[in-house]
Amino acid sequence: MLELRPNCECCDKNLPPDSTEAYICSYECTFCRGCVEQQLSNVCPNCGGGFSPRPIRPVKGYREGVGLQHHPASSVRVHTAYSAAELSEFSVLIKATEPSKR
């Protein structure tokens, strides 16, 4: 199941479990919509893949043993190891290729 990381790895914006601003790659690298669109150009700086909106885990457990009450979001904040310049340089190399063809 998804970790639901609590922040954008680039700008450190809070991304609570119900955030519609959270985007993830296939490795669950987590960034806010603004960074995905403006800084990263839909290129994950860690794997080179694209991003999708992160699903929202229901608060209420509609089935026994599921929901945030049983599987809470992560509280571990993750930050990218790359500078803004490195992020831009990397995305320039890849952004012209559609994520499904990378």
Side-chain angles (χ1 to χ4, degrees), residues 23 28 33:
Y23 280 72
E28 289 189 65
R33 180 191 321 253

Side-chain angles (χ1 to χ4, degrees), residues 8-52:
C8 173
E9 294 181 33
C10 189
C11 72
D12 201 34
K13 177 179 183 175
N14 288 330
L15 297 170
D18 63 349
S19 176
T20 58
E21 296 292 312
Y23 280 72
I24 59 172
C25 75
S26 65
Y27 289 93
E28 289 189 65
C29 301
T30 305
F31 296 87
C32 71
R33 180 191 321 253
C35 287
V36 165
E37 294 174 355
Q38 297 160 15
Q39 175 77 24
L40 304 172
S41 300
N42 196 30
V43 175
C44 177
N46 302 312
C47 71
F51 291 98
S52 296

